[in-house]
Amino acid sequence: MEIVPLGDSALVVRVREQFEDAPEETLNEVLRVFQLLQRAAIPGVIELAPAYTGVAVFFDTIAVIRSNGAINGVFDELAKRIRSAIIPASGRHRRRPAASGPRLIEIPVCYDPEFGFDLDRVAEHTKLSEREVIDIHSTGEYRVACIGFVPGFPFLAGLPKKLATPRRDVPRKEIPAGSVGIGGAQTGIYPLRSPGGWNLIGRTPLKLFDPTKDPPTLLCPGDRVRFRAITREQFESFKS
């Protein structure tokens, strides 16, 4: 474990160096550290953000100083508290906290050409038919590695290698909410209308981000996701 500064009001607890070598194991370890820091409720910490290989810790400098003086500096004080929250729990003679199993969320997706603007591009790049792209994408199981880019955007690990397709050279200025795309070796869902450069292959009628709910995001890091192909008519019925 390595703790490094991220500007003057955040730091990163780096759990692993690489994600691709052991994605499932790495994600589980990142989420374990994230949960331990949540339970620790370290004074002055205002937000925790898990990512591929570590957890970002955002803090209020004044609150950290007031909580315990931070004689040796805010960063050193926080690093000490973080280590005390994480390391004992992973010691040889201590039990790790029991982790609840990840949720499995089914996401209906309409792969109609009206929504899959880049389905033909993905098919051409992968040398598969459009039907094969849809079948492979909709029968896999994915894991939410992290949430970012825009509120509620899930970066999903587990895309079959045969579907990997480079991002578009020129991003679109506006992508409809619910669009499902492939960007390199990942797949994801645009929760809000926004710019983006991923290859769009379908759209879900589900709302992935709703600020009136708690939590506001449909998906959370660690969740497992399966896509279910639906027809254009079924897509409309979800919205009615």
Side-chain angles (χ1 to χ4, degrees), residues 122 126 128 133 136-137 142 159-165 182 184:
V122 174
T126 59
L128 298 168
V133 170
I136 295 170
H137 186 267
Y142 306 88
L159 181 74
K161 292 182 179 179
K162 62 178 68 176
L163 291 185
T165 305
I182 291 176

Side-chain angles (χ1 to χ4, degrees), residues 75-86:
F75 176 82
D76 290 339
E77 179 65 28
L78 271 178
K80 181 178 72 175
R81 296 187 192 186
I82 287 169
R83 288 192 177 93
S84 68
I86 297 172

Side-chain angles (χ1 to χ4, degrees), residues 49-236:
Y52 283 97
T53 58
V55 180
V57 179
F58 298 88
F59 56 86
D60 181 331
T61 302
I62 301 301
V64 174
I65 294 173
R66 286 175 176 170
S67 69
N68 198 26
I71 299 173
N72 297 319
V74 172
F75 176 82
D76 290 339
E77 179 65 28
L78 271 178
K80 181 178 72 175
R81 296 187 192 186
I82 287 169
R83 288 192 177 93
S84 68
I86 297 172
I87 295 175
S90 60
R92 183 177 301 176
H93 303 295
R94 295 177 183 255
R95 289 185 178 181
R96 295 189 176 192
S100 57
R103 301 183 305 166
L104 176 59
I105 310 295
E106 184 180 82
I107 305 290
V109 177
C110 179
Y111 295 93
D112 191 276
E114 180 184 352
F115 301 141
F117 305 144
D118 301 310
L119 194 54
D120 56 346
R121 181 175 187 270
V122 174
E124 180 180 359
H125 176 80
T126 59
K127 296 180 172 54
L128 298 168
S129 69
E130 293 184 12
R131 183 70 256 171
E132 287 174 319
V133 170
I134 294 170
D135 289 343
I136 295 170
H137 186 267
S138 62
T139 54
E141 183 169 296
Y142 306 88
R143 193 94 186 269
V144 181
C146 57
I147 301 290
F149 171 54
V150 295
F153 186 105
F155 288 85
L156 302 176
L159 181 74
K161 292 182 179 179
K162 62 178 68 176
L163 291 185
T165 305
R167 292 170 174 80
R168 292 169 52 87
D169 293 334
V170 179
R172 290 185 171 90
K173 294 180 180 179
E174 190 174 276
I175 289 177
S179 294
V180 177
I182 291 176
Q186 303 172 104
T187 187
I189 309 167
Y190 288 83
L192 304 171
R193 186 177 295 274
S194 66
W198 290 27
N199 302 283
L200 306 183
I201 61 172
R203 192 178 303 172
T204 178
L206 300 187
K207 194 171 185 177
L208 270 73
F209 178 74
D210 185 346
T212 66
K213 294 184 177 180
D214 185 18
T217 58
L218 175 65
L219 300 174
C220 298
D223 285 346
R224 296 190 181 278
V225 171
R226 286 179 184 163
F227 294 113
R228 175 170 61 87
I230 59 174
T231 64
R232 187 71 172 79
E233 291 73 20
Q234 289 173 314
F235 180 91
E236 291 301 328

Side-chain angles (χ1 to χ4, degrees), residues 24-45:
E24 192 77 9
E25 181 182 332
T26 300
L27 182 55
N28 287 339
E29 186 65 10
V30 167
L31 293 175
R32 187 184 71 85
V33 169
F34 171 64
Q35 291 162 4
L36 286 170
L37 292 177
Q38 280 185 315
R39 296 189 188 105
I42 299 172
V45 171

